[in-house]
């Protein structure tokens, strides 16, 4: 990697899609600047770098923007192909399988899960059943492997693991247990917690347009890293506008707040 | 390419998604067996090769299935990387751009266009406006290039061009002119007609489980190839069940039938 290159991640702190990119950067050990976007007062910068969707995450590499999280993961794997781990195998059929499952999760899981806590009555049941159908299919693909990528994390692992922090919320509002329904997937998720924690070690709640170079791979900050943004989120509940507070009363955000494993 | 390898495309004749794969195989000159799937009486073979979605197209290469049309295009480009054209450039940023636009078209255009002829009144207007928004954004990405892939067709061209045969239907029911609204895109579409014709030269209407090896690159069959399946479609209207006849009266299928350029 050249020293003079500029890598910027534009994100919103609670985005599971942006979390994928953070995990990818962290795993490959690539320093980057982090810019928190205020999704309720979107910047002209966001419109400039993602004019089609105006959504996060966007990776800006040497002034060239790359949009859509799975697209970014492939880009990161290709441009820093000399850095391990590789997120995609070299075998074309294994690559196709990984892309299939990553896309399946990307297209279906978030939308289905939203029904669990935004929906009521029958719609909530529908959401729960859809989420379980998806998770069971995904668990079937995992099989006996430690990770979807085999012995190491790969594209599918990075795509799915940010949702783990929402399992508790889904279970609470859907009244079901993922551990009981999908024990193999839950064991996988626990193996993957360290990636999630590592990616979230950076305090990134609130709105900071440019918080400077990210010192990556600092193990001493793991614990405080995953705690701080969540504590920040809790404190900011009453005055920080959120996706959910625009759709429903404030309490909905409390219901949907990411709850870390160690608080369960 | 090894002589003993087996390549099978499982498809439904009118699928724009399957047409992408046909174009890809045709452009790279890869012989394949074609299996027409009856989507109204899905085979156990389809369930076996695409258990998650049970949809076409599926490419089965040496007994390994690959599902989802864009995923298949990437696979075909990787496994037959020695055959030109390459659908994706070697530069990672150009690859990311192509994947972004191919995914954008894949996720948004079909759904928006369905509203034009399935919807009524306001929904039809919404569909028309969405389709025009998508096409104008795509036209902006094309810019002054002859093709999205530059001087040759690439991933985005192959993703979009099968929809060209539906432009007339969209225009008729939406009461607008793509030529007037997007002249640059229309000029591109006309440049791409030959690919579409080439891919459709094989008579593939009706239900034929296995119609044998496909002799690719036979220029003498171009014209009859694009005509025959459409003529067949017209004749079969009264007795062949279709996607549309299950949703709406038979006449809806007539409205949505692919109308080839030469009949306009």
């Amino acid at each position: 990697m050249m020293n003079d290159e500029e890598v910027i991640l534009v994100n919103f702190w609670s985005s599971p899609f942006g979390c994928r990119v953070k995990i990818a950067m962290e795993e490959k050990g690539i320093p980057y600047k982090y810019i928190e976007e205020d999704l309720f007062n979107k910047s002209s910068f966001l419109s400039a770098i993602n004019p089609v969707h105006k959504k996060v995450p966007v990776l800006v590499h040497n002034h060239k923007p790359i949009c859509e999280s799975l697209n970014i993961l492939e880009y990161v794997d290709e441009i820093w192909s000399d850095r391990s781990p590789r997120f995609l195998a070299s075998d074309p059929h294994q690559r196709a399988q990984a892309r299939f499952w990553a896309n399946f999760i990307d297209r279906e899981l978030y939308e289905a899960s939203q029904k669990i806590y935004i929906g009521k009555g029958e719609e909530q049941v529908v959401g729960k059943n859809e989420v379980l159908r998806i998770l069971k299919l995904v668990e079937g693909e995992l099989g006996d492997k430690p990770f979807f990528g085999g012995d190491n994390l790969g594209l599918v692992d990075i795509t799915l693991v940010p949702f783990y922090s929402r399992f508790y919320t889904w279970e609470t509002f859907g009244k079901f247990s993922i551990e009981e329904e999908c024990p193999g997937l839950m064991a996988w998720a626990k193996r993957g917690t360290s990636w999630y924690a590592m990616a979230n070690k950076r305090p990134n709640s609130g709105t900071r347009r440019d918080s400077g170079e990210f010192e990556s791979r600092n193990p001493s900050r793991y614990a405080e890293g995953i705690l701080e943004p969540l504590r920040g989120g809790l404190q900011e509940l009453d005055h920080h506008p959120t996706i959910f507070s625009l759709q429903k009363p404030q309490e909905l955000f409390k219901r949907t707040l990411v709850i870390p494993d160690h608080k369960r």
Side-chain angles (χ1 to χ4, degrees), chain A:
Chain A
M1 196 167 99
M2 292 177 294
N3 282 331
D4 59 349
E5 69 183 347
E6 187 182 61
V7 188
I8 299 170
L9 171 62
V10 181
N11 190 33
F12 180 74
W13 69 276
S14 72
S15 167
F17 311 104
C19 184
R20 292 170 182 166
V21 182
K22 291 197 282 184
I23 292 172
M25 304 304 274
E26 200 58 32
E27 283 298 311
K28 281 190 183 275
I30 299 159
Y32 62 96
K33 288 186 185 175
Y34 181 94
I35 298 184
E36 178 77 9
E37 175 67 27
D38 180 355
L39 292 186
F40 308 95
N41 181 22
K42 291 183 179 180
S43 66
S44 55
F45 183 55
L46 184 64
S47 297
I49 58 179
N50 189 355
V52 173
H53 299 301
K54 298 177 182 67
K55 286 180 180 173
V56 297
V58 182
L59 190 77
V60 187
H61 183 211
N62 293 335
H63 310 287
K64 290 178 184 169
I66 303 103
C67 305
E68 300 284 270
S69 63
L70 297 193
N71 198 22
I72 296 171
L73 296 185
E74 291 234 30
Y75 177 82
V76 167
D77 205 31
E78 288 179 0
I79 203 98
W80 290 290
S81 59
D82 56 333
R83 295 202 171 208
S84 62
R86 293 302 305 265
F87 305 145
L88 280 160
S90 56
D91 172 70
H93 189 259
Q94 286 180 41
R95 296 164 69 85
Q97 286 299 99
R99 287 186 183 121
F100 174 85
W101 285 104
N103 268 294
F104 174 64
I105 294 161
D106 193 53
R107 291 199 179 196
E108 306 212 6
L109 189 55
Y110 182 76
E111 202 174 313
S113 71
Q114 291 285 87
K115 291 178 190 163
I116 295 179
Y117 44 79
I118 289 176
K120 283 186 178 168
E122 185 55 35
E123 194 189 1
Q124 207 170 32
V125 176
V126 168
K128 180 193 86 169
N129 291 338
E130 281 180 23
V131 163
L132 278 175
R133 183 185 71 90
I134 295 164
L135 294 182
K136 285 181 178 183
L137 283 167
V138 167
E139 187 183 40
E141 169 61 15
L142 177 66
D144 295 329
K145 301 191 292 289
F147 301 108
F148 291 92
D151 290 330
N152 290 298
L153 97 169
L155 186 73
V156 183
D157 299 283
I158 300 175
T159 301
L160 183 59
V161 82
F163 287 113
Y164 174 47
S165 66
R166 303 193 170 195
F167 279 12
Y168 180 71
T169 310
W170 301 349
E171 290 171 322
T172 304
F173 290 94
K175 299 182 182 62
F176 65 106
S177 161
I178 296 175
E179 180 107 53
E180 280 174 25
E181 301 274 357
C182 307
L185 191 70
M186 203 55 153
W188 161 86
K190 287 175 180 171
R191 284 194 291 276
T193 315
S194 62
W195 307 325
Y196 185 81
M198 196 191 282
N200 276 306
K201 73 187 184 191
R202 173 193 186 74
N204 59 1
S205 62
T207 299
R208 294 176 201 145
R209 283 259 176 254
D210 189 339
S211 41
E213 191 79 10
F214 182 17
E215 282 288 322
S216 65
R217 300 242 177 230
N218 181 346
S220 69
R221 292 177 62 197
Y222 281 16
E224 67 186 275
I226 193 161
L227 271 172
E228 209 233 82
L230 292 162
R231 285 201 191 109
L234 285 165
Q235 286 159 4
E236 286 171 21
L237 266 184
D238 292 333
H239 55 83
H240 189 64
T242 72
I243 291 170
F244 308 109
S245 68
L246 290 183
Q247 293 170 349
K248 294 259 177 177
Q250 193 76 335
E251 66 169 45
L252 188 62
F253 180 60
K254 292 179 188 165
R255 289 166 53 182
T256 58
L257 188 74
V258 171
I259 297 172
D261 200 48
H262 56 77
K263 288 194 179 178
R264 293 175 62 169

